[in-house]
Amino acid sequence: VTARAPPTAPPATLEKKTNNRNRRRRSRPTPKNKNSNIKTEGINITKPHHPTRSDDVSTASTAPSSDDSFSSDSCSSPQRKRFQNSRRSATATKNSDINNANSHKHHPSSASSSPKKNNKKSPSKKSTPPKKSTSKNTNSCNKKTSPKSKPSKQPPHKPATITLPQITPEEKSQYVALDAEMVGIGPFGHISALARVSLVNWEGEVLFDTMVRVPEPVTDYRTFVSGITPQDLEGPDVLTFEECRSRVEEMIRGKILVGHGLKNDLRVLKLSHPWYDVRDTAKYEPFMKHSTEDETVLVAKKLKVLAKDKLGMAIQEEGMSHCPVEDAVAAMELYKKHRVKWEKSVEWKMERTEQIVGQ
């Protein structure tokens, strides 16, 4: 038995394959760029390449492998152009990154200050409109606080003038102010007796002013306060207590009685007056003060203090005796200044008492 030799390809076929390979290599166009020439050869790469992230993404997604892209004839010229463009962009970005790194190394201050400048510039562009608004606000504030605009909007005399409802002459005739002066009788002069009475109207005009004869012996004239001397109570024009009491009773009947400490004055005169027609500046709560012993208790202020604080009047000066006419005028002026609020409080008290009585 003779062994057969393995079949071998004829030499003609081998020559054809080698010729085809040589033709393919010769027909390939030579690229203009040296870098691209090195890369497109596909087999021998002389220069190393350090790809960045952008290179990895672009080459991995778009560029095929070197063996597959240029080994076959199926690759066309547009694909080669795309690959060349992608490689050019990758090299350009790489060169720009290297230049930036070198510039930061040589000039570290510029690298650190560059982002700060950008941060400063960006808000300045955005904040340009609010700057204009702030300037307007400052101007408007300056206009408001300027001394020229204050008197036009809120004149200085405006707070002093209180808008009160006009009062008619008939209503004015319903108001009477009373003040009385007493002397001391009995042991040590502790008991008070009527010695002088004064009544004034709404305008402060004197309606009645007289001395009163005291039937009991006077032990203390209290001249330093009342200003009454023994000669004042002995004249012919001095009225008796009964005459004075009857005349005062007629003049205050049906009237609104104004005064300071009217409880003591009416007690000495032995008269009474309806509470809703009494306007006592010693009992009006806004005119009162807290007691030093107990803060929950309100105590009356002196008429001298009220006249000075509320009206700017100087009465009952030191070294001078009291004048009942002057005190009655001061009490009337205090009431006139606070009449609106005072009358509202009286109305509320009257309504409340009617409700209590009706129950």
Side-chain angles (χ1 to χ4, degrees):
V1 178
T2 59
R4 292 181 182 179
T8 58
T13 57
L14 294 172
E15 290 178 359
K16 287 181 182 180
K17 288 182 179 180
T18 54
N19 291 327
N20 289 329
R21 288 179 182 175
N22 293 326
R23 285 176 186 176
R24 288 172 190 170
R25 291 178 181 176
R26 290 174 185 175
S27 64
R28 291 175 186 172
T30 57
K32 295 180 181 180
N33 193 359
K34 293 181 181 180
N35 294 325
S36 63
N37 187 10
I38 294 164
K39 294 294 180 181
T40 55
E41 288 177 359
I43 299 168
N44 296 321
I45 298 171
T46 58
K47 292 184 179 181
H49 175 64
H50 300 283
T52 59
R53 288 185 179 179
S54 61
D55 297 338
D56 296 336
V57 173
S58 61
T59 55
S61 60
T62 58
S65 64
S66 60
D67 295 334
D68 297 334
S69 60
F70 296 104
S71 62
S72 63
D73 293 321
S74 63
C75 293
S76 60
S77 61
Q79 291 177 352
R80 292 175 185 173
K81 289 180 181 180
R82 288 177 186 173
F83 182 76
Q84 290 175 3
N85 293 327
S86 64
R87 299 307 300 161
R88 286 174 186 174
S89 62
T91 54
T93 53
K94 183 179 178 181
N95 292 328
S96 64
D97 293 335
I98 292 166
N99 292 327
N100 291 326
N102 292 327
S103 64
H104 294 321
K105 287 178 181 179
H106 292 292
H107 301 283
S109 62
S110 63
S112 62
S113 62
S114 60
K116 292 182 180 178
K117 289 181 180 178
N118 292 327
N119 291 329
K120 289 181 181 178
K121 287 180 181 178
S122 60
S124 64
K125 291 180 181 178
K126 294 180 181 178
S127 62
T128 48
K131 282 184 180 179
K132 293 181 181 178
S133 63
T134 52
S135 62
K136 290 180 182 179
N137 291 328
T138 53
N139 293 327
S140 63
C141 293
N142 291 328
K143 287 181 182 178
K144 288 181 182 179
T145 55
S146 60
K148 293 181 181 178
S149 63
K150 279 186 179 179
S152 62
K153 293 182 180 180
Q154 293 181 356
H157 65 277
K158 190 174 181 180
T161 58
I162 301 170
T163 56
L164 296 174
Q166 293 181 356
I167 185 168
T168 61
E170 294 179 357
E171 291 176 349
K172 290 180 180 179
S173 63
Q174 298 297 319
Y175 293 94
V176 176
L178 170 68
D179 190 71
E181 296 295 337
M182 282 80 77
V183 293
I185 60 174
F188 306 103
H190 294 304
I191 301 171
S192 297
L194 183 64
R196 185 180 176 181
V197 180
S198 299
L199 291 171
V200 298
N201 61 6
W202 178 270
E203 302 296 339
E205 298 173 353
V206 179
L207 299 175
F208 181 72
D209 185 17
T210 184
M211 294 289 181
V212 181
R213 186 176 289 109
V214 182
E216 292 87 359
V218 179
T219 56
D220 187 3
Y221 285 91
R222 305 174 186 175
T223 306
F224 67 96
V225 177
S226 62
I228 297 171
T229 60
Q231 292 79 15
D232 295 334
L233 301 178
E234 294 176 358
D237 297 332
V238 178
L239 297 178
T240 61
F241 176 79
E242 287 76 11
E243 291 175 351
C244 178
R245 180 178 175 276
S246 62
R247 291 187 64 176
V248 170
E249 186 180 7
E250 290 176 1
M251 295 178 73
I252 66 173
R253 185 182 296 121
K255 306 286 185 180
I256 296 175
L257 189 62
V258 183
H260 187 79
L262 288 173
K263 183 179 180 180
N264 298 326
D265 297 339
L266 293 173
R267 184 187 296 165
V268 171
L269 285 165
K270 297 181 180 180
L271 294 174
S272 63
H273 204 71
W275 66 267
Y276 49 83
D277 286 337
V278 174
R279 307 292 184 268
D280 194 346
T281 57
K283 297 295 182 181
Y284 186 50
E285 290 185 3
F287 292 166
M288 300 177 76
K289 64 180 180 179
H290 294 281
S291 176
T292 56
E293 297 178 355
D294 188 359
E295 293 183 355
T296 59
V297 178
L298 294 175
V299 181
K301 290 183 180 180
K302 292 182 179 180
L303 182 62
K304 176 182 177 179
V305 176
L306 289 173
K308 186 177 180 180
D309 294 342
K310 305 293 183 181
L311 305 172
M313 292 176 62
I315 61 172
Q316 301 177 3
E317 295 180 357
E318 293 182 0
M320 301 290 292
S321 60
H322 296 184
C323 177
V325 175
E326 193 178 42
D327 295 348
V329 171
M332 181 64 78
E333 292 298 325
L334 286 169
Y335 169 74
K336 286 163 68 174
K337 189 174 181 180
H338 300 270
R339 180 174 66 87
V340 176
K341 291 183 179 179
W342 203 327
E343 291 301 324
K344 286 182 180 179
S345 65
V346 172
E347 288 177 1
W348 181 83
K349 289 178 181 178
M350 290 177 68
E351 291 176 357
R352 185 61 180 162
T353 51
E354 287 177 0
Q355 292 176 359
I356 294 170
V357 172
Q359 291 177 358

